[in-house]
Amino acid sequence: YHFFQMRYTGGFIGVDIFFTFSGYLITALIIDEFSRSQKFRLRDFYYRRVMRILPPLVLMICIVLPFTLLVGKDYITDLFHQIVAALGFVTNLFEINTGGTYESRFIPHLFVHTWSLAIEVQFYLIWGFLLYLLTKVSTSVKQFRLRVLAGSTLLAVGSATAMYLGAQGLSEFSPIYFSIFRRERVRINRGDPRSDASFQCKC
């Protein structure tokens, strides 16, 4: 998708599929842990996620930084804050606040690709904590599973509703696309590659 955007336009859907698989995997790991021990250790869960993500992220930034001498100045504008946002797992919020967008007025940032990683980590923090609370009020694995299902359904409906309401009257959908609470699939119509992309929200 990143090399052939005009020919293979499924990149946006691909990100949502990745998020969905990741959500299922993390939830399954938590349910399995609770099934084995009737406990879910939130601190251990956070530690495992950090140790899996942070070292490769730091390595990537260290490898990329010397190459900043070879790229245009637009990409290294506010480089310090780009790095802080990446290491703090808030690149998605940084892009929203700085006007970053996938549309025609895109502001190039060197570490913009870490926006999806930021959403992943934010999901781990919030979803892990919510499931931890559910383990405290669940007396059996079956009850826990049912409460996870009910909570997931409510959150999915709430997220879709927030996305729909938030998209009303917008001409740029990247603030919604970058948001952890309002996810959307976006179809891009690209007739003439030189023309502005037209976006249509898809729930």
Side-chain angles (χ1 to χ4, degrees), residues 148-187:
V148 169
L149 176 61
S152 300
T153 303
L154 287 174
L155 289 172
V157 171
S159 176
T161 302
M163 182 278 296
Y164 176 78
L165 295 175
Q168 299 302 309
L170 289 183
S171 59
E172 295 180 359
F173 295 101
S174 285
I176 292 177
Y177 192 74
F178 283 133
S179 172
I180 184 175
F181 298 109
R182 299 180 296 183
R183 293 289 306 140
E184 65 177 300
R185 291 203 309 268
V186 185
R187 178 173 61 81

